[in-house]
Amino acid sequence: MSQRLDYNQLAPAGVKALGAVYGYVAQSSLSTVLVDLVYLRVSQINNCAYCLDMHTRDLLKKGVPVEKLALLQAWREAGDLFDAREQAGLAWAESVTRVTDTGVPDADFQAARRVFDERELVDLTIAIGVMNTYNRMAISFRNTPQAARPK
């Protein structure tokens, strides 16, 4: 697979704007591990190899055990491996990312509200939205994952 075009070169102001949203999320009160788990889960749903590679590496650097990464896709079946905030964040990420199928029902919103305050829920939804955008950019223009680049 080869890259179709380099959107970083072609639309630097647009990429910078996306980066500002990414930076906003990074400075939010949400834990960086939670945010990266959500980024990785959204990327799994969207099948974005570039982002899967990047966020897996980020989580490993933060000391997240490989077992947790291996079971992320099946987090509902992973017992206590994921804490209550992580479970709620992952459930919200799945509902919001699959909005066409889910419509983000009231039950999903209420479940997230039991764990996150209003600001956290908005920030988490911004994180989900920006990762969906990054996934679409990387997939559409065929960004090559670090693991698949020639050595």
Side-chain angles (χ1 to χ4, degrees):
M1 175 177 71
S2 61
Q3 188 174 23
R4 290 177 170 165
L5 56 83
D6 184 351
Y7 54 83
N8 292 296
Q9 292 287 352
L10 295 165
V15 173
K16 184 177 179 181
L18 276 176
V21 175
Y22 193 85
Y24 169 81
V25 172
Q27 64 78 44
S28 76
S29 65
L30 298 168
S31 86
T32 59
V33 169
L34 170 64
V35 170
D36 278 334
L37 286 170
V38 165
Y39 286 163
L40 185 56
R41 184 66 190 116
V42 168
S43 298
Q44 287 175 335
I45 293 166
N46 291 323
N47 202 32
C48 180
Y50 180 83
C51 297
L52 287 167
D53 182 61
M54 178 174 38
H55 296 295
T56 298
R57 291 172 188 278
D58 290 346
L59 285 160
L60 287 169
K61 287 178 192 169
K62 291 177 181 171
V64 174
V66 69
E67 295 82 6
K68 197 167 191 170
L69 299 178
L71 292 177
L72 180 62
Q73 191 166 347
W75 64 268
R76 292 176 196 269
E77 300 162 23
D80 295 334
L81 193 57
F82 296 89
D83 67 30
R85 285 178 66 83
E86 291 169 342
Q87 291 177 26
L90 294 168
W92 185 246
E94 289 176 358
S95 186
V96 171
T97 296
R98 294 179 170 135
V99 65
T100 299
D101 299 325
T102 69
V104 191
D106 290 341
D108 291 357
F109 175 75
Q110 293 304 327
R113 282 287 288 127
R114 284 192 288 276
V115 177
F116 298 105
D117 68 31
E118 290 178 347
R119 175 66 181 267
E120 289 174 325
L121 191 53
V122 169
D123 288 347
L124 183 59
T125 307
I126 291 170
I128 294 162
V130 77
M131 188 48 48
N132 273 287
T133 299
Y134 274 124
N135 289 168
R136 280 147 181 77
M137 297 293 287
I139 293 166
S140 298
F141 300 119
R142 304 292 192 254
N143 280 8
T144 305
Q146 182 179 336
R149 293 179 193 154
K151 307 233 186 286

